[in-house]
């Protein structure tokens, strides 16, 4: 009983720690951002995703944010000279965005930051055997379902 309470408290503290770290972000990244340009994580993530040819609705889905949030971030990125609006050659009503030269290294750096984060998680998970990892996976799945309720 006492061990269960301690574990609940540990999980609660971890979630609060993550929330604090994420206050102005939409993703958890391990390590420091090396870019000198002051962009939000969401804006950097949009640059990275646009470098993979995604459109606005795909961006919203991938980032798990509203279409309006994507539009606002994209407008800011255009204003900052990071994105350029282009009209579709076949359908003039369709606008898509391409990274400017200034934005390309930022998108690249964000991608590297993602890889670094996955590497950090991998180092932690390597400390557990297969059975423990399955339990952790099940726990995270159940916790995510509970959060979605």
């Amino acid at each position: 009983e006492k061990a269960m309470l301690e574990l609940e408290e540990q999980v609660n503290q971890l979630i609060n720690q993550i929330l604090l770290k994420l206050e102005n972000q939409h993703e958890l990244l391990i390590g420091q951002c090396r870019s000198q340009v002051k962009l939000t994580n969401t804006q950097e993530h949009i640059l990275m995703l646009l470098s993979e040819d995604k459109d606005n609705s795909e961006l919203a889905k991938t980032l798990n944010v509203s279409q309006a949030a994507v539009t606002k971030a994209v407008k800011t990125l255009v204003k900052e000279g990071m994105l350029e609006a282009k009209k579709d050659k076949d359908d003039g009503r369709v606008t898509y965005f391409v990274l400017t030269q200034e934005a390309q290294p930022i998108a690249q750096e964000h991608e590297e930051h993602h890889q670094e984060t996955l590497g950090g998680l991998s180092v932690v998970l390597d400390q557990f055997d297969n059975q423990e990892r399955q339990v952790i996976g099940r726990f995270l799945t159940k916790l995510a379902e509970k959060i979605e309720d």
Side-chain angles (χ1 to χ4, degrees):
E1 188 64 31
K2 187 176 185 294
M4 184 66 165
L5 270 174
E6 282 174 11
L7 190 57
E8 284 171 7
E9 190 52 44
Q10 239 183 319
V11 169
N12 189 44
Q13 281 176 356
L14 175 64
I15 291 170
N16 287 326
Q17 190 183 340
I18 290 169
L19 288 174
L20 274 174
K21 190 167 171 56
L22 295 184
E23 225 164 350
N24 299 307
Q25 300 172 197
H26 280 282
E27 59 184 326
L28 176 65
L29 291 172
I30 295 171
Q32 285 306 304
C33 183
R34 290 171 295 281
S35 169
Q36 297 313 301
V37 184
K38 285 284 160 250
L39 296 177
T40 66
N41 254 340
T42 302
Q43 289 167 337
E44 285 188 8
H45 203 86
I46 285 172
L47 291 179
M48 182 186 84
L49 293 171
L50 282 174
S51 69
E52 300 165 4
D53 287 336
K54 292 203 184 297
D55 65 26
N56 275 18
S57 60
E58 288 176 307
L59 287 178
K61 216 177 295 166
T62 305
L63 290 167
N64 203 10
V65 297
S66 69
Q67 192 78 45
V70 169
T71 302
K72 184 181 172 203
V74 165
K75 274 185 184 163
T76 303
L77 289 165
V78 169
K79 206 172 72 193
E80 296 283 327
M82 299 284 160
L83 290 179
E84 223 173 343
K86 298 262 191 213
K87 290 271 182 232
D88 191 294
K89 285 188 290 289
D90 305 318
D91 185 349
R93 296 168 301 178
V94 176
T95 302
Y96 62 97
F97 296 92
V98 293
L99 275 67
T100 61
Q101 258 185 310
E102 191 185 352
Q104 282 160 359
I106 296 168
Q108 178 62 42
E109 193 264 342
H110 194 80
E111 170 63 40
E112 287 164 11
H113 204 162
H114 265 265
Q115 295 311 319
E116 193 181 320
T117 298
L118 291 176
L121 294 173
S122 185
V123 165
V124 171
L125 286 170
D126 281 347
Q127 296 170 45
F128 298 89
D129 67 34
N130 225 5
Q131 199 174 359
E132 290 172 319
R133 282 190 218 135
Q134 285 178 345
V135 172
I136 292 166
R138 239 178 50 237
F139 169 76
L140 292 173
T141 302
K142 296 291 180 197
L143 182 60
E145 286 168 4
K146 197 77 184 150
I147 290 170
E148 289 301 309
D149 283 351

